[in-house]
Amino acid sequence: MNVSDTPSFDYQQKPKFRQKTSSFCSDFVIFFGGTLLAFLLILSLWCLTSPPSPPSSFSSSLPSQSPPKPDSTTFYDDPDLGYTIGTWVQNWDDKRKQWLNLHPEFSGSERVVMVSGSQPDPCKNPLGDHILLRSFKNKVDYCRIHGYDIFYNNVLLDLKMFSYWAKYPVVKAAMIAHPEAEWIWWVDSDAFITDMDFNLPLEKYKSHNLIIHGWDHLVFQKKSWTGLNAGVFLIRNCQWSMDLLERWVKFGPSSPEYKKWGEIQKSIFKDKSFPEADDQTGIAYLMVKEGERWNEKIYLEKGYYFEGYWLEIVDKLENITAYYSKIEKRERRLRRKNGEKAGKEYRAQWEEIREKEMGIEMKRPFITHFTGCEPCSGKHNEKYSREACLKGMNMALNFGDNQVLRNFGYFRPYLAHKPRQTMRSIIGSIPLMLLT
């Protein structure tokens, strides 16, 4: 075929039928793309505003949604409710029961809230604030280990209720703020926990509402104001306790008869050397003079150091430490390491051994109370030296802290040393205690 026989085409100009086809396809693509984009935009907005429900096949495996609680009013909605001493709380048991019914997650256990505190101003004693800090740490450690809540107050809630009377407005406020708590446990700032493993025997107190360290014969027969100590006490969160608090503070400085009550207390409790009404003699007075109303629900605890006099305790702490170490080396089950949260079994094993073979002299004292030392003000009792108080407090705090540090792999080999000085690793120094 000659070249001249080949059909000739104008390549610069496309045939008309291809122009129409191309225009149609281009319009279709633009229309389809716009429609798809609009659909996706609408779908995205719908998903954001109304998430789809899970498929029915998975509905049984998902947690069911509890219906919202009804907007029921409680005692907190009462405008006449008062936290302050002098504002009488009525029907407290019923109010607590109603609140607990609305909050069943708090039912079924004897919850404890520890309450402590100190003055709002800095200590006059240069070491006082440091001692208070360590005292607070001591209490926090115990509460963390045993699952208790703690409230530490350093505000004077009632300006008239100073000194040892300042605790009672705090205790009442804690009862109202914690209706889930069965017990409020007051512990003075100068009282240190020296047995971190000890469990409060709450079952023992199921028929009582106030637990306080003391001796019946000293209170009722000898009429001694030191026959008990009000620096540490357990008080049940109930109407009886509300009534007791209001009666108890009638001896205090907010009462117009405060001076008169001081003279009455001194006339009945002959060993009381000062004519000022105090809370400790106040509760002793109620037991002696109004016992028909109160004594059935008051338990004077003398079976263990619920609150121990420091002068009887601190010189024994080194020997007690050595004795416990000896038992740990003997008992393989006590030499095991364990995490702090898993220490319940360890504490139960110690309790078993203490009950079987330890007399009260060799048991760790539960609480060591440095009454008379006044670590913040520095105005200690004249029969103690400042050095004896400071040394004793340091030893007691180190003694308790060693039991905490054990779970972290360390301990202080000498109780009388300052905290910053000698620390040893348990693994490096006494492997027999933990590595067997």
Side-chain angles (χ1 to χ4, degrees):
M1 180 180 295
N2 295 328
V3 175
S4 59
D5 296 330
T6 306
S8 60
F9 292 96
D10 185 359
Y11 291 98
Q12 301 300 318
Q13 183 178 2
K14 296 180 180 180
K16 291 183 179 180
F17 76 91
R18 294 195 60 177
Q19 289 181 2
K20 293 180 179 179
T21 303
S22 176
S23 175
F24 173 77
C25 290
S26 177
D27 291 344
F28 176 77
V29 169
I30 292 173
F31 173 78
F32 180 77
T35 304
L36 180 62
L37 181 62
F39 174 76
L40 292 175
L41 180 61
I42 294 172
L43 181 63
S44 299
L45 292 174
W46 181 79
C47 290
L48 288 174
T49 57
S50 179
S53 301
S56 58
S57 59
F58 294 101
S59 60
S60 60
S61 63
L62 295 175
S64 59
Q65 297 292 327
S66 300
K69 294 180 180 179
D71 185 20
S72 300
T73 58
T74 68
F75 62 89
Y76 286 120
D77 300 292
D78 182 358
D80 296 326
L81 174 71
Y83 293 78
T84 60
I85 291 291
T87 306
W88 214 280
V89 177
Q90 301 288 346
N91 302 317
W92 179 238
D93 294 337
D94 292 336
K95 291 173 180 177
R96 275 193 70 221
K97 183 178 180 180
Q98 180 197 19
W99 189 92
L100 287 169
N101 287 338
L102 292 173
H103 299 84
E105 64 272 21
F106 296 115
S107 301
S109 62
E110 289 195 299
R111 295 173 182 269
V112 177
V113 174
M114 180 188 288
V115 181
S116 187
S118 56
Q119 78 297 319
D121 300 320
C123 292
K124 294 180 180 179
N125 178 10
L127 294 176
D129 290 311
H130 174 69
I131 294 171
L132 289 182
L133 175 63
R134 294 199 68 200
S135 172
F136 176 56
K137 177 191 179 300
N138 171 264
K139 296 171 176 60
V140 169
D141 282 337
Y142 182 88
C143 289
R144 183 185 68 251
I145 291 170
H146 292 266
Y148 296 161
D149 290 331
I150 182 170
F151 174 60
Y152 192 94
N153 178 64
N154 65 345
V155 178
L156 196 59
L157 299 184
D158 187 329
L159 296 178
K160 294 180 180 180
M161 302 288 281
F162 51 80
S163 186
Y164 29 73
W165 290 104
K167 65 172 75 92
Y168 298 101
V170 184
V171 169
K172 179 181 178 180
M175 292 169 71
I176 298 174
H178 283 274
E180 82 285 357
E182 184 67 18
W183 293 98
I184 302 298
W185 183 17
W186 173 265
V187 184
D188 273 359
S189 60
D190 61 352
F192 310 146
I193 296 173
T194 40
D195 188 351
M196 291 289 174
D197 294 330
F198 187 82
N199 292 304
L200 286 170
L202 299 179
E203 180 65 22
K204 179 180 180 181
Y205 309 135
K206 61 183 179 181
S207 300
H208 298 88
N209 295 334
L210 178 68
I211 316 304
I212 195 165
H213 194 215
W215 297 264
D216 296 81
H217 72 283
L218 293 179
V219 174
F220 295 105
Q221 297 174 20
K222 293 192 174 182
K223 305 292 192 301
S224 172
W225 80 288
T226 60
L228 50 80
N229 189 288
V232 178
F233 59 82
L234 269 170
I235 187 166
R236 192 181 295 276
N237 196 355
C238 64
Q239 184 64 51
W240 183 95
S241 300
M242 288 286 187
D243 296 342
L244 174 69
L245 288 176
E246 295 294 345
R247 177 64 187 94
W248 200 344
V249 299
K250 293 298 183 183
F251 300 107
S254 62
S255 169
E257 299 181 323
Y258 176 53
K259 184 176 180 180
K260 172 188 172 183
W261 277 119
E263 296 170 353
I264 294 174
Q265 287 182 359
K266 191 175 185 299
S267 67
I268 296 174
F269 299 90
K270 302 298 184 181
D271 60 344
K272 184 176 172 64
S273 59
F274 56 95
E276 184 179 359
D278 67 280
D279 62 323
Q280 184 166 297
T281 314
I283 190 62
Y285 176 92
L286 293 179
M287 295 175 68
V288 170
K289 294 296 184 179
E290 301 179 17
E292 291 184 2
R293 182 179 181 186
W294 307 111
N295 287 354
E296 183 181 356
K297 295 295 183 179
I298 297 177
Y299 190 97
L300 290 181
E301 179 60 81
K302 57 181 179 295
Y304 62 94
Y305 280 119
F306 185 55
E307 170 279 332
Y309 182 39
W310 68 275
L311 215 54
E312 299 176 353
I313 291 174
V314 291
D315 290 338
K316 302 174 184 177
L317 294 180
E318 294 281 8
N319 289 337
I320 293 175
T321 298
Y323 184 61
Y324 271 69
S325 297
K326 180 181 177 181
I327 293 177
E328 280 187 324
K329 292 178 181 179
R330 186 194 75 195
E331 297 287 336
R332 187 174 187 274
R333 55 182 176 162
L334 296 175
R335 296 198 297 268
R336 297 183 61 192
K337 290 182 287 187
N338 59 266
E340 188 174 68
K341 287 292 186 182
K344 186 176 182 180
E345 182 180 353
Y346 172 81
R347 293 193 295 273
Q349 292 168 355
W350 264 121
E351 188 63 31
E352 179 185 339
I353 292 174
R354 281 194 290 258
E355 291 301 316
K356 284 183 178 180
E357 59 183 87
M358 286 187 179
I360 191 170
E361 290 296 315
M362 293 311 297
K363 289 182 179 180
R364 289 172 182 157
F366 181 38
I367 296 179
T368 303
H369 192 183
F370 285 83
T371 177
C373 278
E374 299 290 336
C376 191
S377 69
K379 297 179 180 179
H380 55 81
N381 192 310
E382 293 181 355
K383 65 181 181 180
Y384 317 133
S385 69
R386 177 176 178 271
E387 291 73 20
C389 282
L390 291 177
K391 180 182 178 182
M393 286 187 285
N394 192 48
M395 289 182 67
L397 287 167
N398 288 345
F399 184 80
D401 203 34
N402 266 356
Q403 298 163 46
V404 177
L405 288 173
R406 179 191 189 279
N407 288 321
F408 293 84
Y410 290 88
F411 77 107
R412 294 178 177 85
Y414 306 105
L415 296 179
H417 280 201
K418 293 181 180 179
R420 71 175 70 178
Q421 289 182 333
T422 306
M423 295 295 297
R424 290 184 185 173
S425 169
I426 290 178
I427 295 176
S429 58
I430 45 173
L432 285 177
M433 288 181 61
L434 296 177
L435 297 183
T436 303

